[in-house]
Amino acid sequence: MLLCIDCGNTNTVFSLWDGTEFVCTFRTSTEWQRTADQYFVWWSTLLKHNKIEANVDGVIISSTVPRVVFNLRVMADRYFDTRPFVVGKPDCLLPVAARVDEGTQVGPDRLVNTAGAFDRHGGNLIVVDFGTATTFDVVANDGAYVGGVISPGVNLSLEALHQAAAALPHVDVTKPASVIGTNTVACMQSGVFWGYVGLINGICDRIKGEYDRPMKVVGTGGLAPLFSSGYALFDEIEDDLTMHGLTVIHAFNKENIL
């Protein structure tokens, strides 16, 4: 079985792939201080609680937080007796190399989303990922990542608004009943929700205009379904796109290296 690990700025996700489907997915907060032993105890305890038997013989990691990679590597080596592939490292090949400015380091999460989206939908895509940042990844017709856009994430924007303005409370992200709010919370929720609908729609339209050919828009991340309910933003919504991309990259490396 393949253990796919996606470490983001806020959460780290472990998913177990049996070659056909994901058997389980578990999520924990991202903390660089967490040791390899702590990761394994957390992982094995959840497996036992859910009565899942896992024979892990491969590990692949995507991490936007470099400091956590060492302990994840140690866990793979110590407990699964395998050397993990780490997306973005020279020894982890991509199905198609990114075409960006020389010297540019593309975030591993964006490379993984590109691989997963191209495998499922072909090329000429815009992948919108709702994470700590909201990212827009442009996938060429041959599956290469060719650039994109990075904007502040939804929850990050709400938190910044709450911290910078003493009179404004912390609010949850939700679709408001109307655009015009009649109280402070409703006003904030409307601003964030409809503001991001406009942001996503506007950026995607500009990308399409600059790219100058038909493009499919794929949404991923926990908030994608919520924002899609307010406007026809996405052609497809993928809740496991990042994990699927990890399986695609791992299979490519097994075929070409192992």
Side-chain angles (χ1 to χ4, degrees), residues 82-97:
T82 185
R83 177 180 174 83
F85 287 109
V86 180
V87 179
K89 298 298 183 183
D91 58 349
C92 182
L93 302 177
L94 297 174
V96 183

Side-chain angles (χ1 to χ4, degrees), residues 14-258:
F14 284 54
S15 287
L16 190 62
W17 174 254
D18 68 359
T20 303
E21 62 182 357
F22 288 106
V23 176
C24 61
T25 296
F26 302 129
R27 186 180 301 266
T28 185
S29 58
T30 298
E31 297 176 9
W32 67 265
Q33 304 97 328
R34 187 171 285 144
T35 67
D37 300 326
Q38 287 174 316
Y39 276 118
F40 182 73
V41 168
W42 167 80
W43 164 252
S44 57
T45 300
L46 285 172
L47 288 178
K48 183 176 181 181
H49 177 76
N50 288 276
K51 299 179 181 178
I52 298 171
E53 293 187 11
N55 181 23
V56 175
D57 56 9
V59 178
I60 185 166
I61 301 167
S62 168
S63 177
T64 58
V65 186
R67 298 180 75 178
V68 307
V69 173
F70 174 77
N71 283 318
L72 291 172
R73 281 184 180 271
V74 172
M75 182 194 70
D77 179 64
R78 179 178 297 166
Y79 291 103
F80 305 128
D81 192 27
T82 185
R83 177 180 174 83
F85 287 109
V86 180
V87 179
K89 298 298 183 183
D91 58 349
C92 182
L93 302 177
L94 297 174
V96 183
R99 293 196 294 272
V100 293
D101 293 343
E102 186 175 353
T104 299
Q105 288 190 329
V106 181
D109 54 333
R110 309 184 80 178
L111 298 173
V112 170
N113 282 346
T114 295
F118 180 72
D119 183 69
R120 283 181 170 171
H121 303 288
N124 298 326
L125 306 174
I126 303 170
V127 180
V128 184
D129 188 357
F130 292 87
T132 304
T134 300
T135 59
F136 300 74
D137 303 324
V138 179
V139 184
N141 61 347
D142 64 347
Y145 170 85
V146 293
V149 176
I150 301 175
S151 61
V154 180
N155 286 307
L156 187 63
S157 296
L158 274 174
E159 189 62 30
L161 190 62
H162 168 62
Q163 291 183 0
L168 296 181
H170 185 278
V171 300
D172 294 328
V173 183
T174 187
K175 182 182 177 182
S178 61
V179 176
I180 301 173
T182 55
N183 57 68
T184 300
V185 170
C187 288
M188 292 175 66
Q189 290 175 331
S190 181
V192 169
F193 182 85
W194 291 111
Y196 269 87
V197 167
L199 171 79
I200 295 160
N201 189 50
I203 289 179
C204 287
D205 281 349
R206 287 183 175 273
I207 290 174
K208 291 175 181 178
E210 191 171 293
Y211 200 67
D212 197 26
R213 69 190 68 179
M215 303 184 77
K216 179 182 286 189
V217 182
V218 180
T220 189
L223 292 175
L226 172 65
F227 280 93
S228 187
S229 70
Y231 198 87
L233 295 175
F234 310 118
D235 298 301
E236 301 284 349
I237 294 179
E238 301 277 4
D239 60 357
D240 65 346
L241 185 65
T242 302
M243 288 302 172
H244 177 68
L246 286 172
T247 68
V248 171
I249 293 174
H250 185 269
F252 181 79
N253 280 270
K254 278 189 70 174
E255 182 179 340
N256 289 275
I257 293 180
L258 301 182

